[in-house]
Amino acid sequence: MVNMSKPLIRLLGQGIRYASTLRGGGSAFPGLVMEKLHPRFVAEELAKLPYGVVVVSGTNGKTTTTKMAVQLLEAQGLKVFTNRTGSNFVRGVAAALLGAMDLSGKLDADIAVLELDEAHAVHFVKAVKPNYALLLNVLRDQLDRFGEIDTTRRMLSTVAEATTDTVVLNREDPRILSLAQSVKTGTNISYFGLNETLRSFFPSDDEMRAGINNNRGELPSADVTLTAFSGTSATFDLAGETCEGNINLYGIYNIYNAAGAIALTRAVLGEKLNKQALIDELAKITPAFGRGETLNINGRPLQLLLVKNPSGFRLSLASASADDYATMITINDQYADGRDVSWLWDVDFDLLSDTGVDMVSGVRAWDMALRLEHDGVRVDDVNENLSEALRKFITTSGDAPMRIFCTYTAMLALREELTKFTDVERVS
């Protein structure tokens, strides 16, 4: 163990962090340095925050929901620290902390809101006990990484058990609802949910695979309920009070996840909550990178839509008419995407049957093309070379707005390729 004072170790870490940004991006390496030289760095710094730590986890929607939660809390006057790029490991959070601190070691924040992958969250909560947890869903996603779907549930139960103040649960997902059993005595439970008339839009994993069944039995009362939506307009019931707002995000699933972000904000603020500021802020939220992010390509909008499981893909397809877009699908099978792409066979692509797909690309382009052919969806072109495919898609797809459904590593590669056509926000 190097004999250095904690302030000196922190300055060393900040120096490494600064050097890494000069090289063109973020890195978890400074966090690894802190992990080795000052293992309690993250826990000690986050313990200083007056409102504590929030963990957001679940299979689908973590990044956008975290962004919503951050903005809603900021609209309430709180200063929020967050791992903006989803730095899931403890070392990733450490690196983000180093970047947010000033040279005296001060973190100007009231609360931390952290997006954590299910598996990484298990390790994180061993080091840092969250004050709040927002747990979204359990879907069949990357089963080659985590095994059976109930393994994911068990990971999230560890987060629920470690939380000290309030656990916010999606009551519409049976596996998330069951996590109430894991919450320790003395920790509050808050639920967000749906009006019964909306449940067919948001099937649980079991319902999607076995057929829609809207009878989910008796459910606990929800602190926040999504009761209606049309386009970008949404109506919520906040413990008996009706509130209407606009959510300018692509995807009906984002409207529902907003209910979770609202429930979390209510749990943190309690009686201090300014409801009007909360509703007004909803309309100001913009997509997280790659999650409905819209870029301007020669005067035409292009949306990047991350897909990684049947439910997410299905809801993304249902969120806008295919008639309004030129469509490209890019499927990779790297570790971060999930090696097993058989989940594509659980997606119903009938919504594309009238318009077809302009381009299919990625490492598993031909698997995707075969899946579309099976549903009778016309595919105009297939090109595994992403750079060539993107260029051809842009130049030959007419004047319509463009959208690209893509897995995670494909999204990262697309953002890099798109820098050749337009300004793309760098996320470090």
Side-chain angles (χ1 to χ4, degrees):
M1 180 73 177
V2 177
N3 187 18
M4 299 171 63
S5 67
K6 290 180 180 179
L8 191 57
I9 293 172
R10 190 252 311 152
L11 283 170
L12 173 63
Q14 285 182 293
I16 296 172
R17 165 77 179 179
Y18 178 71
S20 70
T21 61
L22 293 179
R23 298 181 64 180
S27 169
F29 179 65
L32 177 60
V33 171
M34 299 303 295
E35 205 171 58
K36 297 294 184 184
L37 300 182
H38 183 3
R40 292 284 300 163
F41 170 69
V42 171
E44 289 177 5
E45 294 304 324
L46 294 183
K48 299 174 184 177
L49 300 176
Y51 282 82
V53 176
V54 176
V55 166
V56 180
S57 195
T59 308
N60 219 36
K62 293 184 293 292
T63 300
T64 299
T65 306
T66 299
K67 190 173 188 293
M68 285 193 276
V70 168
Q71 287 193 222
L72 293 181
L73 289 167
E74 288 178 338
Q76 299 294 314
L78 297 185
K79 296 177 182 178
V80 183
F81 163 73
T82 188
N83 53 338
R84 187 162 175 261
T85 58
S87 307
N88 287 303
F89 290 110
V90 176
R91 69 189 61 163
V93 176
L97 275 168
L98 291 169
M101 288 176 162
D102 63 22
L103 289 178
S104 70
K106 179 176 173 56
L107 177 66
D108 189 18
D110 300 307
I111 190 169
V113 179
L114 306 174
E115 172 198 346
L116 295 177
D117 177 277
E118 303 95 306
H120 299 153
V122 171
H123 299 290
F124 182 86
V125 299
K126 291 177 182 177
V128 179
K129 300 297 183 187
N131 301 79
Y132 304 91
L134 171 56
L135 304 179
L136 300 171
N137 43 56
V138 178
L139 302 169
R140 293 178 195 274
D141 178 38
Q142 302 179 346
L143 293 187
D144 52 313
R145 290 178 61 198
F146 299 156
E148 289 300 320
I149 190 169
D150 287 326
T151 300
T152 304
R153 181 211 167 274
R154 285 193 292 272
M155 292 174 181
L156 294 177
S157 73
T158 302
V159 178
E161 184 178 3
T163 303
T164 61
D165 192 311
T166 303
V167 179
V168 181
L169 300 175
N170 174 7
R171 73 171 188 186
E172 309 299 336
D173 186 309
R175 288 180 176 84
I176 294 294
L177 179 61
S178 72
L179 297 182
Q181 302 165 15
S182 302
V183 177
K184 288 185 174 178
T185 302
T187 299
N188 300 312
I189 302 175
S190 173
Y191 297 96
F192 67 101
L194 295 164
N195 181 296
E196 188 171 343
T197 62
L198 300 181
R199 286 178 182 151
S200 63
F201 289 96
F202 304 92
S204 69
D205 187 87
D206 293 333
E207 288 171 335
M208 190 181 66
R209 294 173 69 85
I212 298 299
N213 175 14
N214 290 327
N215 182 15
R216 301 186 189 180
E218 180 145 1
L219 297 174
S221 298
D223 191 46
V224 178
T225 305
L226 175 64
T227 59
F229 65 87
S230 177
T232 61
S233 176
T235 303
F236 300 94
D237 182 302
L238 276 61
E241 181 178 346
T242 299
C243 296
E244 296 182 8
N246 285 300
I247 305 173
N248 298 310
L249 298 173
Y250 182 98
I252 56 178
Y253 46 88
N254 282 324
I255 294 177
Y256 181 43
N257 285 338
I262 293 170
L264 172 68
T265 305
R266 285 174 59 84
V268 173
L269 272 298
E271 294 181 358
K272 298 178 183 177
L273 182 77
N274 182 327
K275 293 188 181 70
Q276 192 57 53
L278 184 147
I279 296 301
D280 290 345
E281 188 64 24
L282 284 176
K284 302 175 185 176
I285 296 171
T286 56
F289 77 102
R291 280 79 168 176
E293 175 185 23
T294 300
L295 304 173
N296 187 305
I297 310 293
N298 301 322
R300 295 169 63 199
L302 183 151
Q303 282 186 318
L304 292 176
L305 302 165
L306 179 68
V307 293
K308 57 177 184 166
N309 55 50
S311 179
F313 209 150
R314 173 188 176 277
L315 290 172
S316 195
L317 286 167
S319 295
S321 171
D323 294 335
D324 297 333
Y325 290 89
T327 299
M328 176 174 171
I329 302 176
T330 305
I331 304 295
N332 282 354
D333 64 352
Q334 297 180 35
Y335 176 77
D337 307 298
R339 299 288 190 186
D340 182 2
V341 297
S342 62
W343 61 269
L344 293 169
W345 290 88
D346 290 328
V347 183
D348 183 352
F349 290 100
D350 285 349
L351 289 172
L352 297 173
S353 59
D354 291 338
T355 60
V357 173
D358 298 83
M359 176 65 72
V360 174
S361 186
V363 177
R364 301 300 287 268
W366 291 104
D367 296 80
M368 185 69 245
L370 176 64
R371 175 68 191 92
L372 291 169
E373 180 183 15
H374 189 271
D375 272 8
V377 177
R378 185 191 77 253
V379 175
D380 292 341
D381 203 352
V382 180
N383 190 334
E384 293 173 299
N385 185 303
L386 188 143
S387 179
E388 294 176 2
L390 178 63
R391 187 172 296 277
K392 186 170 182 181
F393 173 62
I394 290 172
T395 57
T396 64
S397 56
D399 298 325
M402 298 170 284
R403 62 179 180 176
I404 304 179
F405 298 100
C406 47
T407 55
Y408 184 74
T409 65
M411 180 265 289
L412 296 179
L414 283 164
R415 293 183 92 253
E416 188 63 33
E417 286 295 326
L418 285 164
T419 61
K420 301 172 184 178
F421 297 88
T422 189
D423 291 331
V424 179
E425 180 186 8
R426 294 287 183 179
V427 182
S428 59

